[in-house]
């Protein structure tokens, strides 16, 4: 086997491989003989078909099969000989495959990029500093109660947190616009679901009333045709409903998987959950800033094959989120491309930090993270045992701990600025980037 490798770009390689004709022809002849023993053709007894007939009928297809297998096998051998680690499967093209001539083919593929990490001291990280206040717990419990609320129709004027059933019709300069009308729409006042001014204009209205309100679409509104424009909405209120909040009793606590005898114990459990959420949010915010910094300070070309693989994973995730109601092929690759590139780049950069600095997943931190995960379940000991007896599950935790080690390493060199935030603000800042 003869091999030559050409560098056609930073990450693309073109490998030309030659395979002796004898090797291919012997394989073809062996396959023809096997076919002659088993093939059934009209006019011939089984196993008695002349080789000339077998070759004429099946020779071309058998040669193509043999050449395909030879290209695959010799490509893998060539990679091992040349000590090359490809990123994805290659494009294989035969240049010559005639009988009696050496097989020559070209494998075009990508390799992982050589990475030169940027100056980590130029990375800026904003770390939220926050705590769970009593008011935050009050708001959380109020939200939980509203999730379980029943509705009671009222005849009074509407106020924030009421649910109104309305018809509305919007117009700009007297012309109705697409998407600006609805009938029987249920809206929680004060939820911020509609554009600024819309819900506020309904507060104080009663069932049976007709209103006309003036609003202005935000400058950054997703529909550019409406962004920044003044509009009028004609609104008819059909119904005003007031939420009837459930009592804070043991039955209510159990709906959220919490065993508590009184409100004080329930508040303590809610606080613990909120503190876990806050801790995760701060970690996410810091990690996002670290990733942004690494991407900004390091030039990196990513193999298209890895991006395509990540796009497929994201499409599969989307299908699962839609409950399998959407066909994988119906989701355009383009809508996932930027997210896929970011994920691939992040993975490559984290791998480089690990390799350059010989980072390891600390076993004590792995156990600590498993204990932390287990604490959210009713039978934590069973969860810990499951992780420790399931190598794949434990490997995922080890990978997460190693990512944390990368973040901590970068933070040691980066410029970190703490910023005081309210609980809700910190949680929002820690929303993971897609």
């Amino acid at each position: 086997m003869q091999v030559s490798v050409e560098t056609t770009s930073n990450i693309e390689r073109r490998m030309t491989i030659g395979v002796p004709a004898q090797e291919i022809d012997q394989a073809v002849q062996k396959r023809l003989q096997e076919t002659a023993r088993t093939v059934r053709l009209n006019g011939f007894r089984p196993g008695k078909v002349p080789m000339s007939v077998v070759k004429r009928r099946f020779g071309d297809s058998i040669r193509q099969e043999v050449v395909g297998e030879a290209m695959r096998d010799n490509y893998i051998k060539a990679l091992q000989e040349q000590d090359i680690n490809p990123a994805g499967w290659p494009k294989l093209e035969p240049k010559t495959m005639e009988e009696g001539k050496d097989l020559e083919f070209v494998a075009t593929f990508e390799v992982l990029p050589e990475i030169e990490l940027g100056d980590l001291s130029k990375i800026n990280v904003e770390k939220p500093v926050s705590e769970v206040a009593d008011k935050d717990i009050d708001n959380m419990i109020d939200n939980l109660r509203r999730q379980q609320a029943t509705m009671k129709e009222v005849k009074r004027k509407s106020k924030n947190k009421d649910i109104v059933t309305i018809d509305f019709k919007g117009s700009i300069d007297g012309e109705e616009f697409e998407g600006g009308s609805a009938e029987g729409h249920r809206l929680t006042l004060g939820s911020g679901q509609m554009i600024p001014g819309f819900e506020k204009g309904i507060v104080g209205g009663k069932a049976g009333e007709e209103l006309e309100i003036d609003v202005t679409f935000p400058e950054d509104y997703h529909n550019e045709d409406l962004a920044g424009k003044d509009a009028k909405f004609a609104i008819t209120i059909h119904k005003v409903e007031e939420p009837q909040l459930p009592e804070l009793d043991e039955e209510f606590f159990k709906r959220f998987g919490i065993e508590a005898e009184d409100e004080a114990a329930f508040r303590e459990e809610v606080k613990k959950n909120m503190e876990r959420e806050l801790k995760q949010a701060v970690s996410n915010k810091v990690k996002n800033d670290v990733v942004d910094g690494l991407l900004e300070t390091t030039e990196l070309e990513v193999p298209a094959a890895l991006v395509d693989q990540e796009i497929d994973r994201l499409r599969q995730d989307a299908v699962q989120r839609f409950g399998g109601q959407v066909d994988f092929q119906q989701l355009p690759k383009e809508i996932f491309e930027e997210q896929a590139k970011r994920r691939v780049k992040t993975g490559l950069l984290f791998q480089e930090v690990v390799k350059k600095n010989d980072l390891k997943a600390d076993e004590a931190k792995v156990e600590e993270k498993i204990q932390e995960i287990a604490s959210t379940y009713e039978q934590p000991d069973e969860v810990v045992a499951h992780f420790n007896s399931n190598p794949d599950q434990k490997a995922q935790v080890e990978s997460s701990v190693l990512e944390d080690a990368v973040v901590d390493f970068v933070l040691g060199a980066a410029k970190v600025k703490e910023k005081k935030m309210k609980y809700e603000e910190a949680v929002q800042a820690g929303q993971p980037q897609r």
Side-chain angles (χ1 to χ4, degrees):
M1 180 177 66
Q2 296 179 336
V3 180
S4 64
V5 182
E6 178 186 0
T7 299
T8 51
S9 78
N10 289 337
I11 59 174
E12 187 180 80
R13 300 292 182 270
R14 180 181 168 90
M15 180 186 289
T16 302
I17 303 172
V19 183
Q22 183 180 6
E23 182 179 324
I24 302 298
D25 291 344
Q26 285 179 350
V28 170
Q29 187 62 29
K30 182 180 179 182
R31 194 75 57 87
L32 286 170
Q33 290 170 350
E34 292 171 352
T35 302
R37 288 196 297 269
T38 58
V39 71
R40 291 178 177 275
L41 292 177
N42 291 336
F44 300 97
R45 287 180 296 162
K48 298 298 183 179
V49 182
M51 182 58 67
S52 59
V53 175
V54 174
K55 187 173 182 180
R56 186 169 62 251
R57 290 284 299 271
F58 305 105
D60 289 345
S61 60
I62 286 176
R63 177 167 288 275
Q64 287 181 355
E65 289 177 6
V66 168
V67 166
E69 294 169 5
M71 288 194 298
R72 181 196 63 202
D73 295 344
N74 283 279
Y75 166 71
I76 294 172
K77 290 178 184 177
L79 290 177
Q80 295 170 344
E81 282 186 8
Q82 301 292 318
D83 194 23
I84 296 175
N85 184 22
W89 191 248
K91 178 181 179 182
L92 300 174
E93 297 178 285
K95 296 177 69 175
T96 61
M97 54 183 292
E98 299 173 25
E99 183 177 357
K101 291 186 178 181
D102 290 349
L103 167 66
E104 187 176 61
F105 69 95
V106 175
T108 305
F109 57 93
E110 294 171 310
V111 296
L112 296 178
E114 293 185 8
I115 301 174
E116 187 64 39
L117 290 171
D119 186 352
L120 302 185
S121 67
K122 293 183 178 180
I123 294 177
N124 295 301
V125 175
E126 182 182 79
K127 182 179 181 180
V129 176
S130 183
E131 61 182 17
V132 179
D134 286 341
K135 183 180 178 181
D136 299 318
I137 302 173
D138 291 339
N139 290 337
M140 178 61 71
I141 292 177
D142 184 61
N143 288 336
L144 295 176
R145 293 178 75 192
R146 290 185 182 280
Q147 289 175 19
Q148 301 292 322
T150 56
M151 303 307 299
K152 176 185 177 183
E153 188 171 353
V154 294
K155 300 301 182 183
R156 59 167 172 75
K157 292 181 179 181
S158 61
K159 59 184 181 180
N160 276 339
K161 298 188 178 179
D162 285 343
I163 293 181
V164 293
T165 302
I166 59 173
D167 296 342
F168 63 85
K169 188 174 294 184
S171 61
I172 296 176
D173 297 331
E175 296 288 332
E176 294 183 20
F177 55 90
E178 186 177 354
S181 62
E183 295 182 355
H185 182 76
R186 285 171 59 83
L187 173 65
T188 301
L189 297 180
S191 64
Q193 179 183 343
M194 307 296 279
I195 62 173
F198 189 98
E199 294 167 28
K200 186 177 180 180
I202 299 175
V203 171
K206 297 172 64 176
E209 288 188 352
E210 295 183 357
L211 311 172
E212 187 173 88
I213 60 174
D214 296 316
V215 297
T216 301
F217 282 92
E219 293 291 344
D220 60 351
Y221 193 64
H222 61 84
N223 186 336
E224 295 180 359
D225 294 335
L226 301 177
K229 292 188 176 180
D230 296 328
K232 285 185 181 294
F233 280 91
I235 301 171
T236 300
I237 303 176
H238 293 294
K239 187 191 297 184
V240 178
E241 295 174 283
E242 178 183 71
Q244 304 294 299
L245 304 184
E247 294 295 324
L248 290 172
D249 53 23
E250 289 188 47
E251 181 184 347
F252 176 78
F253 305 152
K254 287 179 180 178
R255 294 179 195 174
F256 298 95
I258 295 176
E259 295 288 341
E261 295 181 356
D262 52 32
E263 184 179 345
F266 179 68
R267 285 179 65 88
E268 188 60 32
E269 288 300 316
V270 170
K271 182 179 181 180
K272 289 179 182 178
N273 288 333
M274 292 174 72
E275 286 174 339
R276 277 194 291 266
E277 183 180 23
L278 177 61
K279 180 181 177 182
Q280 186 60 51
V282 171
S283 176
N284 288 343
K285 172 63 170 65
V286 169
K287 182 178 178 180
N288 285 339
D289 284 1
V290 165
V291 171
D292 288 341
L294 286 171
L295 293 174
E296 289 170 5
T297 56
T298 305
E299 291 188 9
L300 181 60
E301 186 177 358
V302 294
L306 295 185
V307 175
D308 286 342
Q309 290 173 15
E310 191 61 38
I311 287 174
D312 284 345
R313 275 192 283 269
L314 290 170
R315 292 166 89 189
Q316 292 285 11
D317 289 345
V319 169
Q320 291 179 1
R321 287 199 302 275
F322 286 123
Q325 299 299 312
V326 177
D327 182 11
F328 179 94
Q329 299 299 330
Q330 290 179 329
L331 300 174
K333 294 176 63 173
E334 292 75 18
I335 64 177
F336 301 102
E337 188 169 2
E338 286 305 312
Q339 184 185 356
K341 283 183 178 178
R342 178 182 173 88
R343 285 193 176 190
V344 171
K345 286 182 178 180
T346 300
L348 292 174
L349 289 169
F350 273 41
Q351 288 174 21
E352 189 66 16
V353 174
V354 168
K355 184 174 70 174
K356 286 279 176 66
N357 301 283
D358 196 27
L359 301 182
K360 299 285 192 301
D362 183 84
E363 188 60 33
K365 290 185 177 180
V366 172
E367 291 301 321
E368 181 182 334
K369 179 150 286 195
I370 290 174
Q371 292 287 348
E372 186 177 327
I373 295 170
S375 68
T376 63
Y377 290 84
E378 291 185 9
Q379 303 292 334
D381 291 343
E382 291 182 8
V383 176
V384 171
H386 170 74
F387 274 100
N388 289 331
S389 63
N390 191 317
D392 290 340
Q393 292 286 322
K394 189 169 184 179
Q396 291 182 16
V397 178
E398 290 170 345
S399 176
S400 175
V401 169
L402 189 55
E403 285 188 3
D404 293 343
V406 171
V407 172
D408 289 342
F409 180 85
V410 175
L411 289 177
K415 296 183 180 69
V416 182
K417 180 180 179 181
E418 294 186 341
K419 182 180 179 180
K420 287 188 176 181
M421 295 184 182
K422 294 180 180 179
Y423 168 80
E424 290 289 349
E425 185 183 4
V427 170
Q428 185 63 35
Q431 292 296 314
Q433 295 188 18
R434 290 197 167 278

